[in-house]
Amino acid sequence: MVSIKDVAERAGVSVATVSNSLNRPDRVSVTTRARVLSVIDELGYVRSESARQLRAGHSRLLALLVLDMGNPFFVDVARGVEAAARDEGLGVMLCNSGQDPEAEALYLSLFAEQRVRGVLVTPADVSGANLDSLRRQGIPSVLVDRKVGSERACSVAVDDVAGGALAVRHLLERGHRDIAFVTGPGSLTQCLDRRTGALSALHEHGLDDDVLSVLEVPALDVASGRDAGARLLGLPTRPSAVFCANDLLALGLLQALFAAGVRVPEDIALVGYDDIEFAAAAAVPLTSVRQPAFRIGRKAAELVLTEADPGHVHQQVIYEPELVVRRSSLPPAR
């Protein structure tokens, strides 16, 4: 392996001059730097990131820890993080907790060992203990797709209460009075907020909570949506409309309904959440509550990179959701 000393000897300069040519070019002449870079290209020298990391005290990586990389919503969040990191000459380490607090703790420990520049995380541990450990080690962090109730940290999220209200208000305005809400684990704040919003829409219309039947599933994925569909079809009274806590659940539910010969929206209207790319491409285009996933990721990365700035003030950024209406919730044309 070519070393920095080999470059210095071939270029006829000191090791310090090679280092300055790479890291502090203003300290060397244009001619000297050009000679050094030519030798680097000739020898194929690659500088040691581990050595640079030891000197700087941190790496050139941001870490992103999400709940489920199988969800296209988080793929778009990651794209936003990557775009902001690339602007700063940084890379992104992407990991998946699978909604498991123990896996989350292991990854956060790994990030600390790697001395990443900052951590972006959608927490699986609702207690926040894992993140407290990270902060004690001086590693900046920002919560993604999760609101913070205090000013201890930055966060970037969507108003999920408003999003849940948008979805159910849309169904109520189309005459539905027997609505099911298919949701993930009750420990997930996003699911709880979307349910709160759904109930608030009922109250706006003078309706009681029991108008909304809640079906909780273990995961926010397509398989859980299919299972929820089987449960719905087995109910004594079938709801006329279903609101799902994310689009993957809605797509799985749509599969189950189709397999049973239940028509959407003629027999059951359907609304999802996130507006992933597949929502518009479904067999019946899916009405969904849109989250600006790319903007969420980019803003979170921009915030974590300012944590070390003097006078930094934590921000809680909340975007407004948007209802995108498609055929799955509209009555057929007469």
Short mmCIF file of all heavy atoms in Angstrom, two decimals, residues 241-287:
data_model
loop_
_atom_site.label_atom_id
_atom_site.label_comp_id
_atom_site.label_asym_id
_atom_site.label_seq_id
_atom_site.Cartn_x
_atom_site.Cartn_y
_atom_site.Cartn_z
N ALA A 241 -65.47 1.83 5.21
CA ALA A 241 -64.23 2.52 4.85
C ALA A 241 -63.12 2.12 5.82
O ALA A 241 -63.39 1.79 6.98
CB ALA A 241 -64.43 4.03 4.86
N VAL A 242 -61.89 2.17 5.33
CA VAL A 242 -60.73 1.84 6.15
C VAL A 242 -59.65 2.90 5.96
O VAL A 242 -59.33 3.28 4.82
CB VAL A 242 -60.13 0.46 5.79
CG1 VAL A 242 -58.95 0.13 6.70
CG2 VAL A 242 -61.20 -0.63 5.88
N PHE A 243 -59.09 3.36 7.06
CA PHE A 243 -57.93 4.25 7.07
C PHE A 243 -56.76 3.45 7.62
O PHE A 243 -56.85 2.89 8.72
CB PHE A 243 -58.20 5.49 7.92
CG PHE A 243 -56.99 6.33 8.24
CD1 PHE A 243 -55.99 6.55 7.31
CD2 PHE A 243 -56.86 6.90 9.50
CE1 PHE A 243 -54.88 7.32 7.62
CE2 PHE A 243 -55.76 7.68 9.83
CZ PHE A 243 -54.76 7.89 8.87
N CYS A 244 -55.67 3.36 6.86
CA CYS A 244 -54.49 2.62 7.30
C CYS A 244 -53.38 3.57 7.71
O CYS A 244 -53.17 4.62 7.08
CB CYS A 244 -53.98 1.71 6.17
SG CYS A 244 -55.10 0.35 5.78
N ALA A 245 -52.63 3.18 8.74
CA ALA A 245 -51.60 4.05 9.30
C ALA A 245 -50.42 4.25 8.37
O ALA A 245 -49.63 5.17 8.58
CB ALA A 245 -51.11 3.50 10.65
N ASN A 246 -50.26 3.41 7.35
CA ASN A 246 -49.31 3.72 6.28
C ASN A 246 -49.73 3.01 5.00
O ASN A 246 -50.65 2.19 4.98
CB ASN A 246 -47.86 3.41 6.69
CG ASN A 246 -47.49 1.95 6.59
OD1 ASN A 246 -48.32 1.07 6.37
ND2 ASN A 246 -46.21 1.66 6.77
N ASP A 247 -49.05 3.34 3.92
CA ASP A 247 -49.44 2.81 2.61
C ASP A 247 -49.16 1.32 2.46
O ASP A 247 -49.87 0.63 1.73
CB ASP A 247 -48.71 3.57 1.50
CG ASP A 247 -49.27 4.96 1.27
OD1 ASP A 247 -50.39 5.23 1.74
OD2 ASP A 247 -48.58 5.78 0.63
N LEU A 248 -48.11 0.81 3.12
CA LEU A 248 -47.83 -0.61 3.00
C LEU A 248 -48.97 -1.44 3.58
O LEU A 248 -49.37 -2.46 3.01
CB LEU A 248 -46.51 -0.95 3.69
CG LEU A 248 -45.25 -0.34 3.08
CD1 LEU A 248 -44.01 -0.81 3.83
CD2 LEU A 248 -45.13 -0.68 1.60
N LEU A 249 -49.50 -1.01 4.72
CA LEU A 249 -50.67 -1.68 5.28
C LEU A 249 -51.84 -1.61 4.30
O LEU A 249 -52.56 -2.60 4.08
CB LEU A 249 -51.08 -1.03 6.60
CG LEU A 249 -50.18 -1.26 7.82
CD1 LEU A 249 -50.68 -0.43 9.00
CD2 LEU A 249 -50.13 -2.74 8.19
N ALA A 250 -52.04 -0.43 3.71
CA ALA A 250 -53.16 -0.25 2.79
C ALA A 250 -53.02 -1.14 1.56
O ALA A 250 -54.00 -1.73 1.09
CB ALA A 250 -53.27 1.22 2.38
N LEU A 251 -51.80 -1.28 1.04
CA LEU A 251 -51.58 -2.11 -0.14
C LEU A 251 -51.79 -3.59 0.18
O LEU A 251 -52.35 -4.34 -0.62
CB LEU A 251 -50.18 -1.87 -0.69
CG LEU A 251 -49.95 -0.47 -1.29
CD1 LEU A 251 -48.48 -0.28 -1.65
CD2 LEU A 251 -50.83 -0.23 -2.50
N GLY A 252 -51.36 -4.02 1.37
CA GLY A 252 -51.61 -5.39 1.78
C GLY A 252 -53.10 -5.65 1.97
O GLY A 252 -53.63 -6.71 1.58
N LEU A 253 -53.78 -4.68 2.56
CA LEU A 253 -55.23 -4.80 2.75
C LEU A 253 -55.95 -4.87 1.39
O LEU A 253 -56.88 -5.66 1.20
CB LEU A 253 -55.73 -3.59 3.55
CG LEU A 253 -57.22 -3.52 3.87
CD1 LEU A 253 -57.65 -4.67 4.76
CD2 LEU A 253 -57.56 -2.20 4.53
N LEU A 254 -55.50 -4.05 0.46
CA LEU A 254 -56.08 -4.05 -0.88
C LEU A 254 -55.95 -5.42 -1.53
O LEU A 254 -56.89 -5.93 -2.16
CB LEU A 254 -55.40 -2.98 -1.73
CG LEU A 254 -55.95 -2.73 -3.13
CD1 LEU A 254 -57.40 -2.25 -3.08
CD2 LEU A 254 -55.08 -1.71 -3.86
N GLN A 255 -54.78 -6.07 -1.36
CA GLN A 255 -54.58 -7.42 -1.89
C GLN A 255 -55.60 -8.40 -1.30
O GLN A 255 -56.19 -9.22 -2.01
CB GLN A 255 -53.17 -7.89 -1.58
CG GLN A 255 -52.08 -7.20 -2.37
CD GLN A 255 -50.70 -7.71 -1.99
OE1 GLN A 255 -50.56 -8.68 -1.25
NE2 GLN A 255 -49.67 -7.06 -2.49
N ALA A 256 -55.77 -8.32 0.03
CA ALA A 256 -56.70 -9.25 0.70
C ALA A 256 -58.13 -9.04 0.24
O ALA A 256 -58.89 -10.00 0.03
CB ALA A 256 -56.60 -9.07 2.21
N LEU A 257 -58.51 -7.79 0.07
CA LEU A 257 -59.88 -7.50 -0.37
C LEU A 257 -60.10 -8.00 -1.80
O LEU A 257 -61.14 -8.61 -2.11
CB LEU A 257 -60.15 -6.00 -0.29
CG LEU A 257 -60.14 -5.38 1.12
CD1 LEU A 257 -60.38 -3.88 1.06
CD2 LEU A 257 -61.17 -6.06 2.03
N PHE A 258 -59.14 -7.77 -2.66
CA PHE A 258 -59.26 -8.24 -4.05
C PHE A 258 -59.38 -9.76 -4.10
O PHE A 258 -60.20 -10.30 -4.85
CB PHE A 258 -58.03 -7.78 -4.85
CG PHE A 258 -58.26 -6.51 -5.62
CD1 PHE A 258 -59.02 -5.48 -5.09
CD2 PHE A 258 -57.71 -6.34 -6.88
CE1 PHE A 258 -59.22 -4.31 -5.78
CE2 PHE A 258 -57.92 -5.17 -7.59
CZ PHE A 258 -58.68 -4.15 -7.04
N ALA A 259 -58.56 -10.44 -3.31
CA ALA A 259 -58.59 -11.90 -3.30
C ALA A 259 -59.94 -12.44 -2.84
O ALA A 259 -60.36 -13.52 -3.25
CB ALA A 259 -57.47 -12.44 -2.40
N ALA A 260 -60.62 -11.68 -1.99
CA ALA A 260 -61.93 -12.10 -1.47
C ALA A 260 -63.08 -11.60 -2.33
O ALA A 260 -64.25 -11.83 -1.99
CB ALA A 260 -62.10 -11.61 -0.04
N GLY A 261 -62.78 -10.90 -3.41
CA GLY A 261 -63.82 -10.40 -4.29
C GLY A 261 -64.52 -9.16 -3.78
O GLY A 261 -65.61 -8.81 -4.25
N VAL A 262 -63.89 -8.47 -2.82
CA VAL A 262 -64.46 -7.23 -2.28
C VAL A 262 -63.93 -6.07 -3.12
O VAL A 262 -62.72 -5.93 -3.31
CB VAL A 262 -64.08 -7.04 -0.80
CG1 VAL A 262 -64.61 -5.71 -0.28
CG2 VAL A 262 -64.61 -8.19 0.03
N ARG A 263 -64.83 -5.22 -3.61
CA ARG A 263 -64.45 -4.15 -4.51
C ARG A 263 -64.06 -2.88 -3.74
O ARG A 263 -64.69 -2.54 -2.74
CB ARG A 263 -65.59 -3.83 -5.47
CG ARG A 263 -66.03 -4.99 -6.36
CD ARG A 263 -67.33 -4.65 -7.08
NE ARG A 263 -68.39 -4.35 -6.12
CZ ARG A 263 -69.54 -3.76 -6.45
NH1 ARG A 263 -69.77 -3.40 -7.72
NH2 ARG A 263 -70.46 -3.53 -5.53
N VAL A 264 -63.00 -2.23 -4.22
CA VAL A 264 -62.56 -0.94 -3.69
C VAL A 264 -62.64 0.07 -4.84
O VAL A 264 -62.08 -0.16 -5.91
CB VAL A 264 -61.10 -1.04 -3.18
CG1 VAL A 264 -60.59 0.34 -2.75
CG2 VAL A 264 -60.99 -2.03 -2.02
N PRO A 265 -63.39 1.15 -4.67
CA PRO A 265 -64.05 1.64 -3.45
C PRO A 265 -65.52 1.28 -3.34
O PRO A 265 -66.20 1.74 -2.40
CB PRO A 265 -63.91 3.15 -3.61
CG PRO A 265 -64.06 3.36 -5.09
CD PRO A 265 -63.40 2.16 -5.74
N GLU A 266 -66.09 0.51 -4.28
CA GLU A 266 -67.53 0.28 -4.29
C GLU A 266 -68.03 -0.36 -2.99
O GLU A 266 -69.08 0.05 -2.46
CB GLU A 266 -67.91 -0.62 -5.47
CG GLU A 266 -67.74 0.05 -6.83
CD GLU A 266 -66.33 -0.08 -7.37
OE1 GLU A 266 -65.43 -0.54 -6.62
OE2 GLU A 266 -66.12 0.26 -8.54
N ASP A 267 -67.28 -1.35 -2.47
CA ASP A 267 -67.70 -2.03 -1.24
C ASP A 267 -67.02 -1.44 0.00
O ASP A 267 -67.65 -1.32 1.05
CB ASP A 267 -67.40 -3.53 -1.33
CG ASP A 267 -68.12 -4.19 -2.49
OD1 ASP A 267 -69.27 -3.80 -2.77
OD2 ASP A 267 -67.54 -5.09 -3.13
N ILE A 268 -65.74 -1.12 -0.13
CA ILE A 268 -64.98 -0.53 0.97
C ILE A 268 -64.07 0.56 0.40
O ILE A 268 -63.28 0.30 -0.52
CB ILE A 268 -64.12 -1.58 1.71
CG1 ILE A 268 -65.00 -2.60 2.43
CG2 ILE A 268 -63.18 -0.89 2.71
CD1 ILE A 268 -64.23 -3.64 3.22
N ALA A 269 -64.18 1.76 0.93
CA ALA A 269 -63.26 2.84 0.56
C ALA A 269 -61.98 2.68 1.37
O ALA A 269 -61.99 2.16 2.49
CB ALA A 269 -63.91 4.19 0.84
N LEU A 270 -60.87 3.15 0.81
CA LEU A 270 -59.57 2.90 1.43
C LEU A 270 -58.68 4.14 1.34
O LEU A 270 -58.56 4.75 0.27
CB LEU A 270 -58.89 1.71 0.74
CG LEU A 270 -57.55 1.23 1.27
CD1 LEU A 270 -57.67 0.80 2.73
CD2 LEU A 270 -57.04 0.08 0.42
N VAL A 271 -58.03 4.49 2.47
CA VAL A 271 -57.09 5.61 2.53
C VAL A 271 -55.82 5.14 3.23
O VAL A 271 -55.88 4.46 4.27
CB VAL A 271 -57.69 6.81 3.30
CG1 VAL A 271 -56.65 7.93 3.43
CG2 VAL A 271 -58.93 7.33 2.58
N GLY A 272 -54.67 5.49 2.66
CA GLY A 272 -53.38 5.15 3.27
C GLY A 272 -52.68 6.39 3.82
O GLY A 272 -53.30 7.45 3.98
N TYR A 273 -51.38 6.23 4.10
CA TYR A 273 -50.61 7.33 4.68
C TYR A 273 -49.16 7.20 4.23
O TYR A 273 -48.59 6.11 4.26
CB TYR A 273 -50.68 7.25 6.21
CG TYR A 273 -50.42 8.55 6.93
CD1 TYR A 273 -51.45 9.28 7.50
CD2 TYR A 273 -49.13 9.07 7.06
CE1 TYR A 273 -51.23 10.48 8.17
CE2 TYR A 273 -48.90 10.26 7.73
CZ TYR A 273 -49.95 10.96 8.29
OH TYR A 273 -49.73 12.15 8.95
N ASP A 274 -48.57 8.28 3.79
CA ASP A 274 -47.18 8.45 3.34
C ASP A 274 -47.12 8.86 1.87
O ASP A 274 -46.22 9.57 1.46
CB ASP A 274 -46.30 7.19 3.50
CG ASP A 274 -45.95 6.87 4.94
OD1 ASP A 274 -46.04 7.80 5.77
OD2 ASP A 274 -45.63 5.71 5.24
N ASP A 275 -48.05 8.36 1.05
CA ASP A 275 -48.04 8.58 -0.39
C ASP A 275 -46.72 8.14 -1.01
O ASP A 275 -46.04 8.92 -1.67
CB ASP A 275 -48.35 10.04 -0.76
CG ASP A 275 -48.71 10.18 -2.23
OD1 ASP A 275 -49.31 9.23 -2.79
OD2 ASP A 275 -48.37 11.21 -2.83
N ILE A 276 -46.36 6.89 -0.78
CA ILE A 276 -45.18 6.32 -1.42
C ILE A 276 -45.44 6.18 -2.92
O ILE A 276 -46.58 6.28 -3.38
CB ILE A 276 -44.80 4.96 -0.80
CG1 ILE A 276 -45.94 3.94 -1.01
CG2 ILE A 276 -44.47 5.12 0.68
CD1 ILE A 276 -45.61 2.54 -0.52
N GLU A 277 -44.40 5.93 -3.68
CA GLU A 277 -44.52 5.86 -5.14
C GLU A 277 -45.53 4.81 -5.58
O GLU A 277 -46.26 5.00 -6.55
CB GLU A 277 -43.15 5.56 -5.74
CG GLU A 277 -43.13 5.53 -7.26
CD GLU A 277 -41.75 5.28 -7.81
OE1 GLU A 277 -40.79 5.18 -7.02
OE2 GLU A 277 -41.63 5.18 -9.05
N PHE A 278 -45.58 3.68 -4.86
CA PHE A 278 -46.47 2.59 -5.26
C PHE A 278 -47.94 2.91 -5.03
O PHE A 278 -48.82 2.21 -5.55
CB PHE A 278 -46.11 1.31 -4.49
CG PHE A 278 -44.69 0.88 -4.70
CD1 PHE A 278 -43.86 0.69 -3.61
CD2 PHE A 278 -44.19 0.68 -5.97
CE1 PHE A 278 -42.54 0.31 -3.78
CE2 PHE A 278 -42.87 0.28 -6.16
CZ PHE A 278 -42.04 0.10 -5.07
N ALA A 279 -48.25 3.95 -4.25
CA ALA A 279 -49.65 4.27 -3.96
C ALA A 279 -50.40 4.62 -5.24
O ALA A 279 -51.52 4.15 -5.48
CB ALA A 279 -49.73 5.42 -2.96
N ALA A 280 -49.79 5.45 -6.09
CA ALA A 280 -50.46 5.86 -7.32
C ALA A 280 -50.49 4.74 -8.35
O ALA A 280 -51.31 4.74 -9.26
CB ALA A 280 -49.75 7.08 -7.91
N ALA A 281 -49.57 3.75 -8.20
CA ALA A 281 -49.46 2.68 -9.18
C ALA A 281 -50.22 1.42 -8.79
O ALA A 281 -50.14 0.41 -9.48
CB ALA A 281 -47.99 2.34 -9.39
N ALA A 282 -50.96 1.47 -7.69
CA ALA A 282 -51.70 0.28 -7.22
C ALA A 282 -52.81 -0.07 -8.22
O ALA A 282 -53.21 0.75 -9.06
CB ALA A 282 -52.30 0.55 -5.85
N ALA A 283 -53.33 -1.29 -8.11
CA ALA A 283 -54.41 -1.74 -9.00
C ALA A 283 -55.57 -0.76 -8.95
O ALA A 283 -56.20 -0.46 -9.98
CB ALA A 283 -54.86 -3.14 -8.60
N VAL A 284 -55.88 -0.29 -7.76
CA VAL A 284 -56.79 0.84 -7.58
C VAL A 284 -55.94 1.96 -6.97
O VAL A 284 -55.48 1.83 -5.84
CB VAL A 284 -57.96 0.50 -6.64
CG1 VAL A 284 -58.84 1.73 -6.44
CG2 VAL A 284 -58.77 -0.66 -7.19
N PRO A 285 -55.68 3.03 -7.72
CA PRO A 285 -54.82 4.10 -7.19
C PRO A 285 -55.29 4.54 -5.80
O PRO A 285 -56.47 4.79 -5.57
CB PRO A 285 -54.96 5.21 -8.23
CG PRO A 285 -55.23 4.47 -9.50
CD PRO A 285 -56.11 3.31 -9.10
N LEU A 286 -54.33 4.62 -4.89
CA LEU A 286 -54.62 4.77 -3.46
C LEU A 286 -54.65 6.23 -3.02
O LEU A 286 -53.68 6.97 -3.22
CB LEU A 286 -53.56 4.00 -2.66
CG LEU A 286 -53.69 4.00 -1.14
CD1 LEU A 286 -54.95 3.24 -0.72
CD2 LEU A 286 -52.44 3.35 -0.53
N THR A 287 -55.76 6.62 -2.41
CA THR A 287 -55.80 7.91 -1.71
C THR A 287 -54.87 7.82 -0.51
O THR A 287 -54.88 6.84 0.22
CB THR A 287 -57.23 8.22 -1.23
OG1 THR A 287 -58.06 8.42 -2.38
CG2 THR A 287 -57.27 9.48 -0.37
#
